[in-house]
Amino acid sequence: MNTMFSLKMALALITLSATLQVHAALKTCEEEIKETNTFLTGQGAVPVNDITDLATTLRTIKNFGRLPDRYITTEEAKRLGWSGKDSESLWGLKPTNKKWIGGDRYSHPSLPTPQTWLSADIDVAKGHRSPKHVIYSFSGQQRYITTDNYQHLVELAPCQ
């Protein structure tokens, strides 16, 4: 019985060690976004401005399986009185003040299936929707960003 316990402990330690090594090998989300920005700029595309904010959003999705609290879906924003027009700021209404659009379903032929993909705005300025979005799924670690209103998707490597 003592040998069985020792064997189970050894296996648990090996598993823990492997998990820690994989976790340690992941870049920070800030590093991954900076590298992606370098790629985008090299392609003549617009980079992400608020690296810290996007990193926080990516970590919240990964660690808690949800978006940060500032996000509401388009349907919810409309229910609260927003017209849905790009020319209208979400921040012009008290119920949607300081909110961003996120959590709406998104599909694109180049995205892996059968996951359900969702989209969330990034780099929001004064409550106006941005052409920049993060595309994510809760069923995996794949994440994408677009800085040109879904014309091109760039995959982000998993990050911590």
Side-chain angles (χ1 to χ4, degrees):
M1 192 123 133
N2 220 0
T3 306
M4 184 60 95
F5 178 76
S6 296
L7 182 58
K8 286 182 180 180
M9 282 301 292
L11 285 172
L13 287 173
I14 289 169
T15 303
L16 177 62
S17 175
T19 301
L20 290 174
Q21 287 174 0
V22 167
H23 189 40
L26 290 177
K27 295 178 201 166
T28 67
C29 291
E30 288 83 358
E31 291 169 334
E32 178 59 23
I33 296 162
K34 286 177 186 175
E35 284 185 23
T36 303
N37 271 348
T38 300
F39 172 78
L40 289 167
T41 303
Q43 299 295 311
V46 178
V48 172
N49 295 328
D50 196 336
I51 292 169
T52 303
D53 185 74
L54 177 54
T56 299
T57 298
L58 292 170
R59 283 190 198 97
T60 302
I61 292 168
K62 178 183 175 185
N63 296 333
F64 302 106
R66 63 175 178 79
L67 287 169
D69 292 338
R70 73 173 167 272
Y71 284 98
I72 58 176
T73 63
T74 300
E75 181 181 312
E76 186 176 354
K78 287 179 178 178
R79 201 172 48 245
L80 294 170
W82 182 58
S83 70
K85 295 178 183 174
D86 288 337
S87 61
E88 184 182 353
S89 169
L90 275 126
W91 297 359
L93 301 168
K94 190 172 185 173
T96 58
N97 190 32
K98 303 297 182 192
K99 298 291 185 183
W100 295 18
I101 297 294
D104 294 333
R105 284 183 166 235
Y106 176 74
S107 64
H108 191 277
S110 66
L111 290 172
T113 55
Q115 289 127 293
T116 298
W117 293 97
L118 305 163
S119 174
D121 291 357
I122 54 178
D123 281 351
V124 170
K126 298 179 182 177
H128 290 280
R129 298 203 62 196
S130 163
K132 301 175 187 179
H133 311 278
V134 61
I135 294 103
Y136 61 98
S137 174
F138 292 122
S139 60
Q141 288 195 35
Q142 286 179 300
R143 309 285 182 254
Y144 299 86
I145 62 168
T146 177
T147 60
D148 57 7
N149 230 8
Y150 305 110
Q151 296 296 315
H152 302 92
L153 302 181
V154 178
E155 186 170 3
L156 295 170
C159 59
Q160 58 181 346

